[in-house]
Amino acid sequence: MMYTMRIMLFRTVIPLALAAAAAFAQSKVSTEKEASMKADLAGQIDGMKKQAQVMVDSVFSFGELGFQEFETSKYLSGILEKEGFRVERGYAGVPTAWVATWGSGHPVISLGSDIDDIPQASQKPGVGWHEPMIEGAPGHGEGHNSGVPLNILAAVAVKHLMEREHLQGTIQLWPGVAEELVGAKAYFVKAGLFKDVDVALFCHVANNLAVSWGPSLNQNGLVSIEYMFKGESAHAAGAPWRGKSALDAVELMDVGWNFRREHLRLAQRSHYVISNGGDQPNVVPPTASVWYYFREADYEHIMDLWQKGDNMAKGATLMTDTTFTSRLLGSAWPGHFNKAIAEDMNENIKKVGLPQWSEEDQALAKGLQKELKVRVTGLASKLQEMRPPRLPQNTDTEGGGEGFGNQPTGGGSDDIGDVSWVVPAITLRYPSNIPGGPGHNWANAISMATPIAHKGVVAGAKVQALTMLDILLHPELVKNAWDYFNNVQTKEMKYKSFIRDGDKPAIWLNAKTMEQYRDRMKQYYYDPSKYDNYLQQLGIKYPTVR
């Protein structure tokens, strides 16, 4: 409650104070001077293309799963320390989390992006078909190796400009730990990471350069719940009647849930894996567990799915004479992004434009698209238009029911949604991936240590830096962002965390998998002192396509 009160006070008072304090500085910056500053930022980032390539390739080579991003975090936070940022490690009880800060006073601009990768997505970059570096190992099949390098480029360029021009403000950077597990950002919020932040600029890999605002009809929030059943073992052939199978309870819960799907809203997405299925067939399993993601369009519907899941588990125990416990492994709110900041960023996107793709870049893209048997379009050649969001329409009173009108249709989740409900936030999408990939797959790793990713990161860093400068020079932009946040976004909907007292980050997840593969993966770590790029180190001709 006290944290909520502090946030409310900040939302009301700080933007006004910021506007007053910065008005004098703003009046001194002419249009010509601002244009010169923006040209300087773009030039600085162009001058850091080599650093961009090294960072992107290095993080790609580490290939670490969520909560186990030790090499990645050490590497990226070390770069920021060398650039003069103060680094706090182990933030919010997460060993691989850190917060890097430079500057003083307002505006406080917070930059975030994810760093974890995908299980069993090991893939040689630049090769247009499935060819793992290590069979079964994890890999960057979503492209999370690129976002924090993008933010570092932008932050360093803006820092240099602020030092030279004596601009006041604070730059904050942090990594999205275990995003694929939606495992950390809600804990960052709870720990107060954003309590003094004016604007949060997030970024995520995509195949075009774009930003949007408002809610989304095809993005969900979720809770990640593991149900752990306990029974009693017995000889599965000699005395099966003496056993109480925890695995039976898991399977009965799953059957019940799959029958219930028919009667759930279109917006819901739910999926599970059996995380413990017993030890061996001749022993009635005394323990077993199943791990669910319950996704829906808003807090109340997510909580309803969670309750249904609990009921399914209770029913399974009644049928099997077992018991169960459960634990929250992660959570995310549906995102709602800021109109004022998105509109400003979109103008900077128009200024920067898409990268100039080479014939080799397009050949890799088209080769992969042919391999995947999707439409062969190559890489994006035209910016996407930013359109107003399609807002949900309540048509129940007209007799149409929830299947009519603009209703949430469901989709993926990102725990940046939690951040977007405590501070004005946007997500910059930048073009480092190839259109047509299935997502969370080896195919989405193919471009991520190639010139495609390097160029996309540089373009995105320019947009990020230009938007940061706008926030520094134009206090009315921050004021407008908070006005939308207070009077539109949160006017009726208030943030309530899914995290309960006693819940802790699931930092043990993926430890066994990384222990299995890490030593073998080390031989593939990128060595920029010996090789110009990662493709050269791996001996891959760019591009390699059929």
Side-chain angles (χ1 to χ4, degrees), residues 179-490:
E179 187 277 333
E180 300 301 344
L181 303 170
V182 287
K185 295 189 188 78
Y187 289 99
F188 294 172
V189 170
K190 185 178 181 180
L193 179 58
F194 306 99
K195 69 180 186 298
D196 292 323
V197 169
D198 292 285
V199 174
L201 304 181
F202 195 70
C203 65
H204 195 281
V205 64
N207 54 54
N208 208 313
L209 194 58
V211 67
S212 57
W213 62 273
S216 172
L217 296 182
N218 61 1
Q219 186 193 51
N220 281 339
L222 69 79
V223 287
S224 167
I225 310 293
E226 187 175 30
Y227 293 93
M228 296 158 288
F229 294 87
K230 184 173 178 59
E232 190 166 332
S233 66
H235 195 296
W241 54 87
R242 297 182 63 178
K244 298 176 182 178
S245 173
L247 179 59
D248 286 353
V250 164
E251 293 186 290
L252 286 165
M253 178 182 179
D254 294 344
V255 168
W257 188 265
N258 287 327
F259 273 100
R260 190 61 186 265
R261 288 178 195 272
E262 179 185 357
H263 309 289
L264 298 175
R265 297 197 329 156
L266 176 63
Q268 81 87 25
R269 296 287 190 276
S270 52
H271 10 266
Y272 60 84
V273 295
I274 296 176
S275 47
N276 172 18
D279 299 303
Q280 58 192 56
N282 68 328
V283 178
V284 174
T287 60
S289 56
V290 59
W291 179 9
Y292 272 84
Y293 277 16
F294 297 127
R295 304 184 197 247
E296 248 285 6
D298 56 53
Y299 178 88
E300 299 300 335
H301 284 98
I302 294 166
M303 291 300 293
D304 183 60
L305 287 185
W306 190 351
Q307 183 61 56
K308 286 180 170 64
D310 287 353
N311 289 341
M312 294 286 177
K314 291 174 185 175
T317 63
L318 292 174
M319 288 185 281
T320 55
D321 290 329
T322 58
T323 60
F324 86 94
T325 56
S326 66
R327 56 185 176 184
L328 179 74
L329 299 184
S331 66
W333 264 63
H336 188 126
F337 299 105
N338 192 267
K339 184 174 187 287
I341 303 300
E343 289 178 341
D344 179 83
M345 177 171 278
N346 192 56
E347 293 305 309
N348 289 319
I349 286 172
K350 294 176 185 177
K351 290 184 177 73
V352 171
L354 286 166
Q356 294 295 311
W357 308 119
S358 68
E359 291 183 6
E360 292 79 9
D361 299 333
Q362 292 287 10
L364 178 62
K366 292 177 180 179
L368 176 61
Q369 289 163 348
K370 290 177 183 176
E371 183 75 15
L372 297 177
K373 297 180 174 57
V374 298
R375 187 172 169 222
V376 178
T377 59
L379 298 168
S381 59
K382 183 179 180 181
L383 290 172
Q384 297 172 341
E385 180 182 353
M386 188 177 75
R387 299 174 181 173
R390 291 189 302 129
L391 299 177
Q393 297 174 1
N394 185 359
T395 60
D396 289 351
T397 58
E398 301 172 9
E402 293 187 65
F404 290 77
N406 282 344
Q407 293 296 325
T409 55
S413 312
D414 191 322
D415 49 355
I416 188 58
D418 289 73
V419 179
S420 76
W421 284 95
V422 297
V423 65
I426 54 86
T427 295
L428 167 66
R429 301 187 295 276
Y430 56 94
S432 289
N433 221 308
I434 295 171
H440 291 184
N441 185 268
W442 55 265
N444 294 79
I446 285 173
S447 67
M448 292 313 304
T450 74
I452 295 172
H454 307 149
K455 293 173 185 178
V457 163
V458 168
K462 290 179 182 178
V463 173
Q464 196 83 304
L466 299 186
T467 306
M468 292 171 69
L469 183 62
D470 288 341
I471 293 167
L472 291 168
L473 297 182
H474 299 285
E476 73 276 9
L477 180 56
V478 177
K479 180 179 180 296
N480 292 341
W482 280 98
D483 181 67
Y484 177 87
F485 183 88
N486 288 324
N487 299 316
V488 178
Q489 179 183 344
T490 63

Side-chain angles (χ1 to χ4, degrees), residues 18-311:
L18 173 64
F24 179 70
Q26 177 193 353
S27 66
K28 294 177 65 176
V29 177
S30 66
T31 302
E32 292 77 13
K33 177 67 172 177
E34 184 174 341
S36 174
M37 289 181 178
K38 289 194 170 185
D40 177 86
L41 288 175
Q44 282 193 64
I45 292 169
D46 278 331
M48 291 189 282
K49 287 180 179 178
K50 180 60 180 177
Q51 291 96 312
Q53 173 261 310
V54 170
M55 286 190 289
V56 168
D57 288 3
S58 294
V59 179
F60 182 94
S61 74
F62 298 144
E64 295 173 300
L65 292 166
F67 286 123
Q68 308 304 319
E69 312 99 333
F70 292 100
E71 293 286 352
T72 300
S73 283
K74 179 182 176 182
Y75 172 74
L76 294 171
S77 63
I79 291 171
L80 287 164
E81 272 188 327
K82 290 178 182 177
E83 290 289 345
F85 284 74
R86 303 180 300 277
V87 177
E88 177 185 353
R89 293 183 171 85
Y91 190 79
V94 179
T96 55
W98 46 266
V99 181
T101 310
W102 178 88
S104 63
H106 289 276
V108 179
I109 305 171
S110 184
L111 308 180
S113 194
D114 302 321
I115 58 172
D116 58 328
D117 70 359
I118 302 294
Q120 300 190 49
S122 176
Q123 172 64 32
K124 290 183 178 178
V127 177
W129 57 80
H130 189 203
E131 190 165 327
M133 287 190 283
I134 301 173
E135 187 68 46
H140 274 288
E142 174 130 339
H144 286 176
N145 59 302
S146 55
V148 174
L150 182 159
N151 283 339
I152 290 175
L153 295 181
V156 169
V158 172
K159 172 182 177 287
H160 291 164
L161 183 69
M162 291 173 70
E163 289 174 325
R164 191 186 72 209
E165 301 293 337
H166 306 291
L167 298 177
Q168 180 174 301
T170 303
I171 303 172
Q172 177 192 82
L173 293 93
W174 49 273
V177 170
E179 187 277 333
E180 300 301 344
L181 303 170
V182 287
K185 295 189 188 78
Y187 289 99
F188 294 172
V189 170
K190 185 178 181 180
L193 179 58
F194 306 99
K195 69 180 186 298
D196 292 323
V197 169
D198 292 285
V199 174
L201 304 181
F202 195 70
C203 65
H204 195 281
V205 64
N207 54 54
N208 208 313
L209 194 58
V211 67
S212 57
W213 62 273
S216 172
L217 296 182
N218 61 1
Q219 186 193 51
N220 281 339
L222 69 79
V223 287
S224 167
I225 310 293
E226 187 175 30
Y227 293 93
M228 296 158 288
F229 294 87
K230 184 173 178 59
E232 190 166 332
S233 66
H235 195 296
W241 54 87
R242 297 182 63 178
K244 298 176 182 178
S245 173
L247 179 59
D248 286 353
V250 164
E251 293 186 290
L252 286 165
M253 178 182 179
D254 294 344
V255 168
W257 188 265
N258 287 327
F259 273 100
R260 190 61 186 265
R261 288 178 195 272
E262 179 185 357
H263 309 289
L264 298 175
R265 297 197 329 156
L266 176 63
Q268 81 87 25
R269 296 287 190 276
S270 52
H271 10 266
Y272 60 84
V273 295
I274 296 176
S275 47
N276 172 18
D279 299 303
Q280 58 192 56
N282 68 328
V283 178
V284 174
T287 60
S289 56
V290 59
W291 179 9
Y292 272 84
Y293 277 16
F294 297 127
R295 304 184 197 247
E296 248 285 6
D298 56 53
Y299 178 88
E300 299 300 335
H301 284 98
I302 294 166
M303 291 300 293
D304 183 60
L305 287 185
W306 190 351
Q307 183 61 56
K308 286 180 170 64
D310 287 353
N311 289 341

